[in-house]
Amino acid sequence: MAVDGDGTVGGGDSQPPVTTAAATTEMAIARLSRFPNMEHISDNYDDLKLEFTSSVLRSLEKYLPPAMLTANREAKAKFMSDILRKYISREECSKANWRKNYWQRIKSNYQPLCRELYNFDPELFLLPSFRKAISDNTEESFRRIISEPFPGVFVFQMFQPDFFQKLIVEVDNFGKWAHEKKFQIRRPYHMSKYGVVLDDFGLDIMLKKLMEDFIYPICKVFFPEECGTMFDSHHGFIIENGEDRDAPLDHHFDDSEITLNVCVRKQFEGGEISFIGTRCVKHMRTNIKPEEVFHYCHTPGQAILHRGRHRHGPRATTNSCSRANMILCCRNSLFREMETYEKEFPEWCGQCAHEKKEKESQSLAAKRKEMIRIEGGGKER
């Protein structure tokens, strides 16, 4: 018995298997296109019993080769699932199935209170000045409504007051429903007992629209490296901190390329946000430098936009400060892939920039020393 070059059991001296035309066609299209077909409208796979969620398949469908785009849903779902299995472990598939069943239970039983949020209308919920700036889509128009109190930290107003009222009512309603039904809901992070993941009860559509149509244009100007040509996923949630709510997190990085942090409500003074330096993966544990520390008083209605790698955390100036914030983590998988190959990020990583300056200073000092040596040698002659 012989083993073929691909590791499969072969037939020794027997002739190689004949490849049919159909098999050749299948092999030729068993890969995704390099660029998405943005004009293609993806199918909905919610009603099919699949191991991957409909949202994943809908996103991936735009990358199907032209020959597969016109196939029926079942054929496309099988094609994409076969590809995904090559890269996603069984454990990850199991988690995806759990999330799908979890979302389906909520969708089937939870009755939204403020349906306007789910059919997000920018004219109802966004300020005219903000919409105008996005429509003009220039750095000058953004600078008119956005301040930058510290490098890489952008502050602006974007929502109408009515948006916050309806969001709070909806979040409270979802929490009440979960309590009455004894339904255990996901929390934004493992230590949270009061936070709510907005994506889980239908507000993912609203957040996706916010990210793609309103946050991305700003990021393209101020954070071009991190946002690239598009954000391809997000994570949105509400956190509540205070005496009878979750304790504030210590200083941390976000699992995002760019984070939108909106103060939904705050009681009493205090509760500043501290920013303490931007770091790439390589330098995440390096020390803080005094010039990197910045404290900002986050007031209700204000939005703060910053890098996920900008270390930050609450700085409580009073013990009685209570606040609720909406967090939208915007992600770009291409940037994350790029980070595995790039060695330095001096444009935004504080430590990379520091090391670059050190190298330049050392190089300059070495050149000066060499010039002095050469000049000294010439005088001796």
Side-chain angles (χ1 to χ4, degrees):
M1 181 174 68
V3 178
D4 292 333
D6 63 356
T8 59
V9 177
D13 296 330
S14 61
Q15 295 295 317
V18 177
T19 304
T20 65
T24 302
T25 303
E26 185 178 352
M27 290 171 63
I29 64 173
R31 62 178 63 185
L32 298 173
S33 297
R34 291 180 61 188
F35 303 103
N37 183 342
M38 300 308 293
E39 296 180 357
H40 175 73
I41 301 175
S42 300
D43 278 320
N44 190 311
Y45 299 90
D46 281 333
D47 60 319
L48 299 180
K49 292 184 178 181
L50 302 169
E51 57 188 302
F52 301 104
T53 63
S54 178
S55 59
V56 169
L57 296 180
R58 284 174 60 84
S59 298
L60 192 61
E61 186 175 328
K62 294 182 184 295
Y63 289 86
L64 287 178
M68 281 301 301
L69 285 175
T70 55
N72 60 49
R73 284 193 313 157
E74 289 73 12
K76 287 188 287 190
K78 182 182 184 304
F79 183 91
M80 292 185 286
S81 297
D82 288 344
I83 291 175
L84 288 168
R85 286 191 203 98
K86 297 177 183 178
Y87 302 98
I88 302 178
S89 66
R90 288 185 176 274
E91 181 182 358
E92 288 173 314
C93 287
S94 177
K95 288 180 180 178
N97 275 328
W98 180 88
R99 285 194 293 268
K100 179 184 176 182
N101 293 332
Y102 171 80
W103 291 328
Q104 190 59 48
R105 287 180 63 190
I106 294 173
K107 184 179 178 180
S108 302
N109 296 282
Y110 176 66
Q111 295 298 319
L113 204 60
C114 303
R115 294 191 177 273
E116 306 96 307
L117 291 172
Y118 298 82
N119 304 314
F120 187 78
D121 183 350
E123 293 191 6
L124 283 179
F125 295 123
L126 297 179
L127 293 171
S129 57
F130 179 77
R131 298 200 316 270
K132 177 68 165 56
I134 298 298
S135 177
D136 292 346
N137 197 24
T138 64
E139 181 173 353
E140 183 183 358
S141 70
F142 296 149
R143 292 283 184 187
R144 282 199 293 266
I145 63 163
I146 296 175
S147 64
E148 189 178 7
F150 190 78
V153 178
F154 297 90
V155 180
F156 52 98
Q157 300 276 352
M158 63 182 292
F159 291 108
Q160 300 273 15
D162 192 45
F163 171 79
F164 300 113
Q165 296 169 8
K166 290 184 182 301
L167 183 63
I168 290 168
V169 167
E170 191 64 43
V171 168
D172 289 345
N173 186 60
F174 179 65
K176 181 181 177 182
W177 170 83
H179 178 74
E180 290 175 352
K181 298 294 182 181
K182 294 182 172 54
F183 184 84
Q184 188 172 358
I185 60 176
R186 282 200 310 160
R187 301 297 181 182
Y189 49 92
H190 70 281
M191 293 181 293
S192 174
K193 294 181 179 178
Y194 297 95
V196 174
V197 179
L198 299 174
D199 300 303
D200 286 352
F201 57 99
L203 291 178
D204 54 315
I205 297 173
M206 175 194 79
L207 296 176
K208 187 172 185 289
K209 186 175 182 65
L210 275 176
M211 178 181 72
E212 293 179 350
D213 297 349
F214 299 97
I215 301 306
Y216 175 76
I218 299 173
C219 294
K220 194 174 180 180
V221 171
F222 298 120
F223 304 107
E225 187 176 3
E226 289 86 346
C227 71
T229 58
M230 63 183 289
F231 289 125
D232 48 26
S233 65
H234 73 268
H235 179 48
F237 54 92
I238 290 281
I239 54 171
E240 293 189 72
N241 300 132
E243 286 184 303
D244 59 344
R245 287 294 184 259
D246 292 329
L249 287 173
D250 292 331
H251 289 100
H252 61 280
F253 298 98
D254 292 334
D255 183 16
S256 70
E257 272 57 67
I258 303 298
T259 296
L260 176 72
N261 182 343
V262 184
C263 184
V264 176
R265 64 182 172 193
K266 186 168 79 168
Q267 294 177 326
F268 310 110
E269 293 300 316
E272 294 182 342
I273 296 179
S274 296
F275 292 91
I276 56 172
T278 311
R279 295 291 185 270
C280 63
V281 174
K282 178 183 174 183
H283 296 123
M284 288 177 74
R285 298 185 182 278
T286 53
N287 294 330
I288 306 163
K289 297 174 180 58
E291 63 270 20
E292 294 181 299
V293 178
F294 171 66
H295 306 299
Y296 187 79
C297 185
H298 204 183
T299 58
Q302 272 188 337
I304 299 179
L305 199 65
H306 62 86
R307 290 181 175 90
R309 293 289 172 76
H310 204 152
R311 252 187 314 209
H312 60 282
R315 177 178 180 247
T317 52
T318 64
N319 293 326
S320 58
C321 180
S322 175
R323 66 185 185 127
N325 289 59
M326 182 184 83
I327 311 295
L328 177 58
C329 294
C330 307
R331 297 164 177 167
N332 178 4
S333 56
L334 185 61
F335 177 80
R336 297 187 179 203
E337 183 69 16
M338 181 191 72
E339 271 198 299
T340 62
Y341 300 100
E342 294 284 341
K343 294 182 179 180
E344 295 181 350
F345 297 90
E347 296 301 319
W348 57 269
C349 173
Q351 188 63 25
C352 283
H354 174 74
E355 291 179 1
K356 184 180 179 181
K357 287 181 182 178
E358 286 285 308
K359 289 178 183 178
E360 290 173 348
S361 297
Q362 291 171 7
S363 176
L364 187 60
K367 287 179 181 178
R368 285 174 177 170
K369 186 176 181 180
E370 180 64 15
M371 289 175 65
I372 293 171
R373 185 188 69 78
I374 294 171
E375 289 175 0
K379 290 179 180 179
E380 289 178 4
R381 293 192 191 95

